[in-house]
Amino acid sequence: PPTKLEALAMVWKYNAFSDGSNLTLYLAPSLINHSCAPNCDFGICADGRFSLIAGEDGLLADTELSISYLPLENLALATHARREHLAQSWLFFCRCTLCLDSQPSCNVC
């Protein structure tokens, strides 16, 4: 099992946001789930504040917020390539609606 220091380092690595040169841990944004078809985008302001932006149409009440953990250019990749990148970089298998809708159907099942 990982030591406490290793566990804290993993929390930092997988929950911090980068502004290009620094990693910062933001409590509420670190709880937002990933989607390959996110309903929000985010940015880090010059003063270090986290900015969450909803799409042009906004969001309905009780809609789960989602952001992409991938760079925007990677969202155009094929499902298997996005999943591979997320598995290697973030240690999870993506089951967002876009990935599930893109799965080939099984003719045997």
Side-chain angles (χ1 to χ4, degrees), residues 32-88:
I32 300 174
N33 286 325
H34 163 81
S35 174
C36 294
N39 58 17
C40 295
D41 195 5
F42 68 91
I44 309 296
C45 301
D47 63 1
R49 289 179 298 129
F50 186 91
S51 175
L52 186 66
I53 303 108
E56 291 180 15
D57 298 329
L59 298 170
L60 297 173
D62 298 323
T63 300
E64 179 183 2
L65 304 177
S66 63
I67 57 175
S68 175
Y69 297 176
L70 297 171
L72 292 179
E73 60 272 9
N74 287 12
L75 292 178
L77 297 173
T79 301
H80 72 277
R82 291 192 315 269
R83 282 179 161 171
E84 181 69 24
H85 184 78
L86 289 163
Q88 290 180 0

Side-chain angles (χ1 to χ4, degrees), residues 7 11 14 18 37 40 48 50 52 63 71 87 91 98 102 108:
V11 166
Y14 296 112
S18 174
C40 295
F50 186 91
L52 186 66
T63 300
L91 305 181
L98 183 62
S102 301
V108 179

